[in-house]
Amino acid sequence: MTRRTTTLFAAVALAAGLALTGCSSDSSGSTGSSDNSHSSAGKPRLKISGAFMPQPATDMAGGFLTITNDGDAADKLLSVTSSLSDDVTIHETKDQKMREVKSFDIPAHGELKLERGGNHIMFMELKKQPKQGEKVDIELHFEKADPIAVELPVEAATHNPKQH
Ligand code: CU
């Protein structure tokens, strides 16, 4: 394990600790106490929408979607896995250059948008080139929420929902 990874885990642990200090709902398994007025407090509630992959022209592809968080706690998108590629990372775009990041924030009562020209999922060394109309399965991994499986419909190479 590299030093960077250790530092990341320390940072994540710290962030999780901070998030929990505001609420004592850690013992969510103990029901029956009548003053448990907000049983879902402190938990992210994530929903995925607008997912797609533009049909790739090479052995690289991008993935785009929106994660909406209706919950009272922020979460982080940490990683993405897929049967299409063993090399899937998350990238941000700054000054027209993309760069791998360790996580994306998903604010409480907010959203994380992965869209063309901005943050995205990056698939390298595709095992096959999916065609428009096919679907690509991925799984999103979060700091707090359980993993979410999503199917990305493959759209035309130029597809951009913002232009609709
Ligand atoms: Cu990228």
Side-chain angles (χ1 to χ4, degrees):
M1 188 175 284
T2 66
R3 192 153 176 274
R4 275 168 81 103
T5 312
T6 311
T7 312
L8 172 66
F9 277 126
V12 166
L14 179 63
L18 287 174
L20 283 173
T21 52
C23 184
S24 59
S25 70
D26 208 13
S27 56
S28 53
S30 66
T31 51
S33 99
S34 55
D35 65 342
N36 192 2
S37 52
H38 51 287
S39 55
S40 69
K43 290 218 174 90
R45 284 214 325 260
L46 306 181
K47 226 170 54 190
I48 313 300
S49 61
F52 73 98
M53 170 183 285
Q55 181 176 302
T58 65
D59 69 343
M60 294 191 310
F64 306 94
L65 49 81
T66 299
I67 302 172
T68 309
N69 182 2
D70 290 330
D72 293 327
D75 207 340
K76 281 175 196 278
L77 175 64
L78 297 182
S79 65
V80 179
T81 52
S82 173
S83 62
L84 183 65
S85 165
D86 293 328
D87 183 0
V88 185
T89 48
I90 48 178
H91 285 185
E92 64 176 10
T93 307
K94 282 250 166 82
D95 301 326
Q96 318 222 351
K97 279 192 205 123
M98 59 186 191
R99 191 170 73 92
E100 184 176 347
V101 296
K102 290 199 174 67
S103 67
F104 281 126
D105 291 332
I106 311 166
H109 300 287
E111 62 179 15
L112 166 66
K113 275 193 167 161
L114 306 184
E115 54 191 358
R116 300 196 82 141
N119 302 333
H120 58 277
I121 303 165
M122 191 90 199
F123 303 77
M124 307 286 280
E125 294 180 44
L126 304 185
K127 292 173 185 172
K128 61 171 200 124
Q129 273 189 33
K131 298 270 184 293
Q132 187 172 353
E134 295 180 357
K135 290 197 164 150
V136 173
D137 66 281
I138 64 169
E139 196 169 70
L140 306 172
H141 301 267
F142 304 96
E143 182 183 77
K144 293 177 200 152
D146 290 334
I148 299 179
V150 185
E151 281 193 325
L152 300 185
V154 179
E155 302 280 2
T158 54
H159 180 73
N160 190 348
K162 273 202 293 194
Q163 291 167 350
H164 287 195

